[in-house]
Amino acid sequence: MIITTSLATFGRYCLFMRNVFSVPDRWGVYLRRTVTEIVKLGMDSIPLVLIISVFIGAVITIQMQLNINSPLIPAYSVGLATRDIVLLEFSNSILCLILAGKVGSNIASEIGTMRVTEQIDALDIMGINSANYLVLPKITGFVLFMPVLVVLCIGTAFIGGYGVAAFTDLIPVSRYLYGLQALFTEWYVWYGLIKSLVFAFIITSTASFYGYYVHGGALEVGKASTDGVVSSSIFILLFDVILTKLLLQ
Amino acid sequence: MIEVKNLIKSFDGRTVLHDLSATFYTGKTNLIIGQSGSGKTVLMKSLVGLLRPDSGEILFDGRNLPDMGRTEIRNLRKEIGMLFQGSALFDSETVLGNVMFPLTMFTNQRYADMKKRAMFCLERVNLTGAESKYPSEISGGMQKRVAIARAIALNPKYLFCDEPNSGLDPRTSILIDELLSDITHEYGITTVINTHDMNSVLGIGENIIFINKGYREWVGDMSKIYNTGNKALNDFVFATRLFQQVREYVASHETTVPPRDAR
Ligand SMILES: Nc1ncnc2c1ncn2[C@@H]1O[C@H](COP(=O)(O)OP(=O)(O)OP(=O)(O)O)[C@@H](O)[C@H]1O
Ligand SMILES: [Mg+2]
C-alpha cells in the first residue's frame, strides 16, 4: 500500500518536473523572475546563514577542543577538525536542512496559496505553462545562488571559530589558523558544493511539488508546507548518504 | 459559438454531468443556472479544458476541444478569457500589472502600448485611479472588475465567468452584469456565465441553460422563465421570498411581469 502510493507520488513528481523543465514561453519574463527569486530565496537567506554559521563555527571549535584535549595531539588539530566538519557536512547538509525549513515552507505556501485561490488555474487558462512559469525560476534561481550561501557559510563558520580562539584561551590563534590550512584537501570543497547544488534542487522542486498539488483551502496549504519541508529534509539526508558514498569513497 | 454535445463527466464513478448538450451563442450572454452542487462549475471547467470529460464533444466554432493536443489547447486558450469565482488576481502584481500580464506574455508590444491598452481596459470597467494598488488593498467588487479587465485585455473571442457576482451587494452585482452584457455585445464575444442569482437571470439572460443534478432541464431566455411547466426550474426561480411574493402579487392582480425591454 505505502509502496504503491509512494510510487504514484514519485510518478506525479516526474510528470510535474517534465512540465517544469520545458522551454519558457518568454525568456525575458523568465530571466526577470529568476532574478526576483534569487533575491527572495537566496539573498534574503543570507542573514540567517551568517547568524547560524558564526555560532555553529564557534561551537564546533569549542567542542573539538574539549574532545581532543590531549598532550599527544597537536593543538592545531582543533582548527583542522573544525575546518573539515564545516567543509564536509555543516556548510552543505546541515545548512540545507535549515534552509529547507525557511525556503521550502516559503515556496510551498506561496504556490499552494496560488493554487487554492485559483491563480494557477488563471495562468493555465491564459495558455501559460504554469508549472514552468512559477517553478523553474525558483529552481534555477536558488540552485544558482546556493554556492554563494555555501561559501558565505564556510567563511563565517571559520570566523566564529577564530572568535573562540581570539577571545578564550582554549586554543592559540596561530594554532587555529595553522590548523585551518594544514593537510587541506581541495576536493572537500567541491564535494560540498556538488552536494549543496543537489540539495538546493531537492528543496525547491519538492516544496513546489507539494504546493502545486494542494487541494482545498488554507488548512491544506499549511499541511503542504509541512509535508514539503519534511520530505525535502528526508531526501536531503538520503542523498547525503548516496552522494558521500559516490564522491568520497 | 460553442456547442456541447453529449458531455459526460464523472468523479470516482459518481456521474456529475449526465449526457449534457447545450449551445452558447456568439454575441450573447449565455447563462448556466442551477442550484449549488448541480454541476455548473464542473461544466465550465470542462468547457475550458481544466477538467477532462469522460466523453462528449465541445466544439469551439467547430474545433473539438477533447481532440486537441497540448499546443492546440494552449493556442485556443489565447482566445479565452476567464473570470474565476474568487477573482484569482495575482497577489504579487499591482492592478495595472495584473491587467498587463496577458499582454506581456502574449504580445510583442512596447511597454507604453501595453500600458495604454491596460488603462483602456481598466477605464472600460470604470476603474481608474487604482492601478498602482495591490489586490489586497481593493474591495471585492473592484477585484472582480480588475479580473474582468484582465480577461478582456487580449480581446478574447470567448469569455467565461464563474459566478461573477457572488459575494457582492445587489447594486454592484447589477453593475457587473451590465458590464459583462455591454462588453459581450460591443465586441461580439461568446460569453458564458455561471450564476444562481435570479437578478442576473432576469437582467442579462439572453440564453439560459438550467441544470439540475447534472441534467440539462430547460433552455430558454429570460422572458419565458416564469411560465415554464418545469417544476425544478419553478422551484429554483421562486426560491427567494421576494419572488414568491411577486408571484402571489402577480397571481392576485392578474398581470404579468414585464420583460426587460418594457422597463
Ligand atoms: N474535483 C472534484 N472531485 C470530485 N467531485 C467533484 C469535484 N468537483 C466537483 N465535484 C462534485 O461535483 C458536483 C458539482 O459541483 P460543482 O462545483 O460543479 O457545483 P456548482 O453547481 O458549481 O455549485 P456552486 O453553485 O455551489 O458553485 C458536486 O457534487 C461536487 O461534489
Ligand atoms: Mg460553482
Side-chain angles (χ1 to χ4, degrees):
Chain A
M1 186 60 205
I2 194 162
I3 295 177
T4 50
T5 48
S6 335
L7 279 177
T9 309
F10 182 69
R12 279 205 305 163
Y13 172 82
C14 291
L15 289 176
F16 175 63
M17 281 298 125
R18 196 186 66 182
N19 281 339
V20 170
F21 285 95
S22 45
V23 182
D25 293 313
R26 284 276 154 139
W27 284 100
V29 174
Y30 165 70
L31 290 178
R32 209 166 348 114
R33 287 185 60 83
T34 306
V35 172
T36 318
E37 297 300 342
I38 287 180
V39 173
K40 204 169 66 185
L41 303 177
M43 308 257 251
D44 288 358
S45 299
I46 290 179
L48 177 72
V49 170
L50 294 185
I51 291 173
I52 291 169
S53 307
V54 79
F55 282 104
I56 300 284
V59 169
I60 292 177
T61 309
I62 297 171
Q63 289 180 346
M64 283 309 123
Q65 203 282 333
L66 295 177
N67 278 329
I68 50 185
N69 187 6
S70 146
L72 295 176
I73 303 175
Y76 74 80
S77 319
V78 174
L80 187 149
T82 304
R83 180 198 74 208
D84 282 353
I85 289 176
V86 169
L87 287 184
L88 287 172
E89 197 63 10
F90 171 66
S91 71
N92 41 76
S93 307
I94 306 297
L95 180 74
C96 283
L97 282 175
I98 294 164
L99 288 177
K102 178 182 186 291
V103 174
S105 62
N106 173 306
I107 292 177
S109 54
E110 180 188 319
I111 296 188
T113 306
M114 291 189 74
R115 166 62 77 192
V116 300
T117 55
E118 294 178 315
Q119 293 178 49
I120 294 184
D121 287 337
L123 285 170
D124 285 331
I125 275 300
M126 290 178 196
I128 294 165
N129 177 347
S130 56
N132 170 275
Y133 174 82
L134 290 174
V135 178
L136 192 60
K138 290 191 193 297
I139 295 182
T140 40
F142 194 55
V143 169
L144 280 178
F145 200 75
M146 196 66 215
V148 178
L149 292 179
V150 171
V151 170
L152 279 175
C153 171
I154 294 173
T156 356
F158 290 167
I159 293 174
Y162 181 90
V164 171
F167 297 115
T168 66
D169 50 7
L170 287 174
I171 166 177
V173 171
S174 69
R175 294 292 81 200
Y176 174 76
L177 289 179
Y178 178 78
L180 279 187
Q181 297 158 54
L183 303 169
F184 175 63
T185 321
E186 191 190 326
W187 175 243
Y188 286 2
V189 178
W190 297 117
Y191 158 80
L193 286 174
I194 293 171
K195 280 206 299 181
S196 73
L197 295 181
V198 175
F199 297 158
F201 177 80
I202 291 176
I203 295 173
T204 42
S205 65
T206 316
S208 305
F209 173 70
Y210 277 94
Y212 194 83
Y213 287 105
V214 170
H215 281 293
L219 212 62
E220 283 80 8
V221 172
K223 191 172 167 305
S225 151
T226 316
D227 289 350
V229 172
V230 170
S231 4
S232 47
S233 306
I234 291 172
F235 281 111
I236 286 174
L237 294 170
L238 181 68
F239 274 83
D240 194 17
V241 177
I242 295 174
L243 288 172
T244 304
K245 179 86 176 108
L246 285 177
L247 295 173
L248 273 197
Q249 218 189 14
Chain B
M1 188 164 78
I2 305 171
E3 287 167 279
V4 178
K5 291 184 183 163
N6 308 101
L7 193 72
I8 298 177
K9 172 73 193 169
S10 55
F11 293 104
D12 314 314
R14 201 170 64 84
T15 310
V16 175
L17 299 179
H18 300 268
D19 199 20
L20 199 137
S21 300
T23 309
F24 304 100
Y25 299 98
T26 305
K28 281 195 177 179
T29 43
N30 303 276
L31 265 51
I32 303 173
I33 62 172
Q35 279 184 358
S36 188
S38 55
K40 301 185 296 292
T41 300
V42 172
L43 174 59
M44 183 165 280
K45 289 198 169 168
S46 309
L47 284 181
V48 295
L50 285 175
L51 290 173
R52 210 169 178 62
D54 303 350
S55 70
E57 292 180 10
I58 300 165
L59 300 164
F60 283 80
D61 292 305
R63 297 166 289 173
N64 188 12
L65 179 77
D67 286 345
M68 289 183 193
R70 273 208 316 195
T71 7
E72 282 169 297
I73 291 189
R74 283 177 59 194
N75 286 333
L76 172 67
R77 283 181 174 168
K78 287 166 196 166
E79 300 171 5
I80 292 180
M82 183 158 178
L83 190 63
F84 287 86
Q85 206 159 340
S87 296
L89 297 178
F90 303 123
D91 303 320
S92 54
E93 304 268 355
T94 59
V95 165
L96 184 67
N98 265 286
V99 181
M100 275 175 62
F101 182 83
L103 299 168
T104 45
M105 291 306 284
F106 295 112
T107 67
N108 289 312
Q109 297 171 8
R110 284 178 305 131
Y111 181 84
D113 291 337
M114 291 194 283
K115 185 168 175 188
K116 213 170 110 195
R117 170 75 192 156
M119 293 305 286
F120 171 80
C121 294
L122 283 171
E123 225 166 275
R124 191 68 198 73
V125 298
N126 296 321
L127 206 79
T128 37
E131 55 273 4
S132 57
K133 293 212 168 75
Y134 282 89
S136 55
E137 297 167 349
I138 57 179
S139 74
M142 288 161 93
Q143 289 178 3
K144 284 262 155 70
R145 279 187 275 168
V146 177
I148 295 177
R150 184 177 69 180
I152 61 171
L154 282 174
N155 275 324
K157 284 172 74 175
Y158 313 99
L159 183 62
F160 295 89
C161 310
D162 196 358
E163 309 207 358
N165 41 29
S166 65
L168 298 182
D169 66 272
R171 296 192 76 168
T172 314
S173 300
I174 288 176
L175 286 180
I176 299 265
D177 282 347
E178 283 173 355
L179 186 62
L180 289 172
S181 164
D182 290 350
I183 292 170
T184 304
H185 297 129
E186 208 173 312
Y187 304 112
I189 305 174
T190 311
T191 305
V192 181
I193 301 171
N194 263 359
T195 186
H196 41 194
D197 180 2
M198 276 311 291
N199 261 323
S200 308
V201 174
L202 298 182
I204 59 170
E206 292 180 304
N207 174 32
I208 302 170
I209 288 139
F210 174 61
I211 297 183
N212 187 27
K213 300 190 182 112
Y215 292 94
R216 193 200 70 185
E217 283 266 346
W218 185 84
V219 177
D221 65 35
M222 54 193 166
S223 63
K224 304 199 188 82
I225 203 159
Y226 299 107
N227 310 316
T228 65
N230 190 310
K231 176 158 186 320
L233 180 58
N234 263 327
D235 288 351
F236 179 80
V237 170
F238 296 104
T240 61
R241 290 229 170 74
L242 180 63
F243 275 103
Q244 282 165 12
Q245 283 165 13
V246 168
R247 177 160 64 171
E248 279 154 24
Y249 178 86
V250 168
S252 60
H253 290 73
E254 294 184 347
T255 73
T256 52
V257 177
R260 194 190 192 201
D261 301 12
R263 270 185 287 170

